[in-house]
Structure formats: structure tokens, C-alpha cells
Amino acid sequence: MRILIIEDDATIAANLYDFLEAQGHHVDAAGDGITGLHLAVTQAFDAIVLDVGLPGMSGLTLVRKLRDEAHVDTPVLMLTARDTLDDKLEGFARGADDYLVKPFSLKEVEARLTAMYKRGSGRVTTRLLQAGTLVLDPKTMTVRFAGNEVKLPPKCLRILELLLREPGRVISRDEIERLVWGEVQETSDTLRSHLHTLRRALTAAGGYDPVETLHGVGYRVRTADA
Ligand code: CA
């Protein structure tokens, strides 16, 4: 599994990292909520271990943003030092999949992650993102439009993935920039040039540009073929 650990306690993070890596997993780690959220939305993980008490952004806020704003459904195992029912209920309400109270055993963490991954793998990785004949397969990150394969640079692919998660929904420039680059860019040139590359490649494959610009509002992908 590819596992992301978001935990500010250096000892706990190192123990988790070393244990999970020794079990053969590919592990990344972040020590604060903002870095953690950025990694969780810009890279593909099979499971996330998330501490509730984090500097910058709490684990509860992070999981809500991950689900509601970034529309990322990677399974999340929450860790908390506070053994209260309120925290647990709040974590689940915000989109966590499972929950462990500190102190926990490392074997228990791995067992929970594996169980979450098995429960979620059918749901998470096989859903094709689709609008008309424009299809993105999140498992292989390949794109086809009108039956033709579309080769895209990584950032363009990520922009298209965001647009295709909810065809028809308008996504603002700020939201795309935050989810693709981790922060709002100083000028709109970066996003504009990536959109230009994306649109040119899609038009070449499908015969028209499926990305609509709503001036001053944002961007969306057409729900059906033109
Ligand atoms: Ca903490």
C-alpha cells in the first residue's frame, strides 16, 4: 500500500514510518495539516493515518476539506489522544473511516489500514471519471476522448481529474490552484498555460474543447458531448 502519515509527534511518526516501511509499504509523512492536505490531494495514496491534534490545521478540518472540497475518498484512519465519544463521532461525521486512541500498537494500525484498504479498494480505484466520451481511469491515470488516447503532463492530468470528479460543477481558479499546486498562485498565468495545454490536447483527440470557462467564476467540464 501507499500510505501517508500526517502526525506532528516526531516519535510517533518515526515509529509508524519505520514499522510500515518494514512491512513493505511505501510511506510518505507530513508533520502538519497543511503539508498533509497538499500531499493527500496531489498524490495517490491507498490509506492515510491522520492525527487529530495538528499544527496549522486540525485533523478534523483536514478530513472535511479532503472529502468536501478536494473530493478525495482515500480511506482515513484517525489517531487521537483524547478518548472521548465526541471526538470519535465528529471524526466520522467529517469523513474518517476508522479511529484509534493513543497509545496504540503498530500492528493494530497496520491491521486497520489493511481492512480499510480492502473495504475501499473496489469503491475507490475502479470508478471511471467520465463526461460523455471523455474518460479518465484513476487507476492507471490514462485519458481517452472520443475513443482516442490523450497524453497529458501530470499537472494537466490533475486539473482534468478535478473537473471530472463532478462534471458540470464550476470550480474556481483558487480552488484548482490550491488542489493542484497546494496554494493560490501569484498570477493566473500558471493555470492559464496548463489549461491551454489541456484544451489543445483534448481538442486534438476529441474534435472540440470540453472545458468551459465561466468568466470571473471558474471552469467546468461539459457533462455530455458537444
Ligand atoms: Ca498531535
Side-chain angles (χ1 to χ4, degrees), residues 6-9 12 31 51-55 79-81 102:
I6 310 174
E7 164 65 86
D8 61 313
D9 183 308
I12 295 174
D51 185 30
V52 171
L54 289 169
L79 304 175
T80 183
K102 294 177 183 176

Side-chain angles (χ1 to χ4, degrees), residues 38-50:
H38 177 57
L39 285 174
V41 299
T42 55
Q43 295 183 32
F45 293 97
D46 298 308
I48 298 170
V49 182
L50 175 64

Side-chain angles (χ1 to χ4, degrees), residues 5-136:
I5 300 166
I6 310 174
E7 164 65 86
D8 61 313
D9 183 308
T11 307
I12 295 174
N15 285 342
L16 281 167
Y17 193 104
D18 292 347
F19 179 81
L20 293 170
E21 197 169 52
Q23 304 301 308
H25 301 293
H26 180 91
V27 189
D28 271 317
D32 65 85
I34 302 203
T35 310
L37 181 62
H38 177 57
L39 285 174
V41 299
T42 55
Q43 295 183 32
F45 293 97
D46 298 308
I48 298 170
V49 182
L50 175 64
D51 185 30
V52 171
L54 289 169
M57 178 190 300
S58 84
L60 294 170
T61 303
L62 192 156
V63 78
R64 184 185 55 75
K65 283 179 177 286
L66 192 66
R67 300 291 191 241
D68 297 348
E69 294 177 19
H71 308 287
V72 170
D73 50 11
T74 310
V76 170
L77 173 66
M78 294 205 89
L79 304 175
T80 183
R82 290 167 291 170
D83 184 14
T84 69
L85 187 61
D86 284 353
D87 267 4
K88 182 172 177 173
L89 291 175
E90 197 177 357
F92 284 122
R94 293 191 184 208
D97 298 82
D98 202 353
Y99 184 88
L100 271 179
V101 176
K102 294 177 183 176
F104 48 80
S105 86
L106 293 167
K107 278 188 174 165
E108 181 70 16
V109 171
E110 199 207 8
R112 299 283 187 99
L113 290 174
T114 304
M116 286 193 324
Y117 176 59
K118 283 186 179 158
R119 279 203 306 272
S121 56
R123 174 195 81 200
V124 176
T125 53
T126 58
R127 186 172 79 97
L128 292 177
L129 303 176
Q130 196 160 2
T133 58
L134 175 58
V135 184
L136 187 154

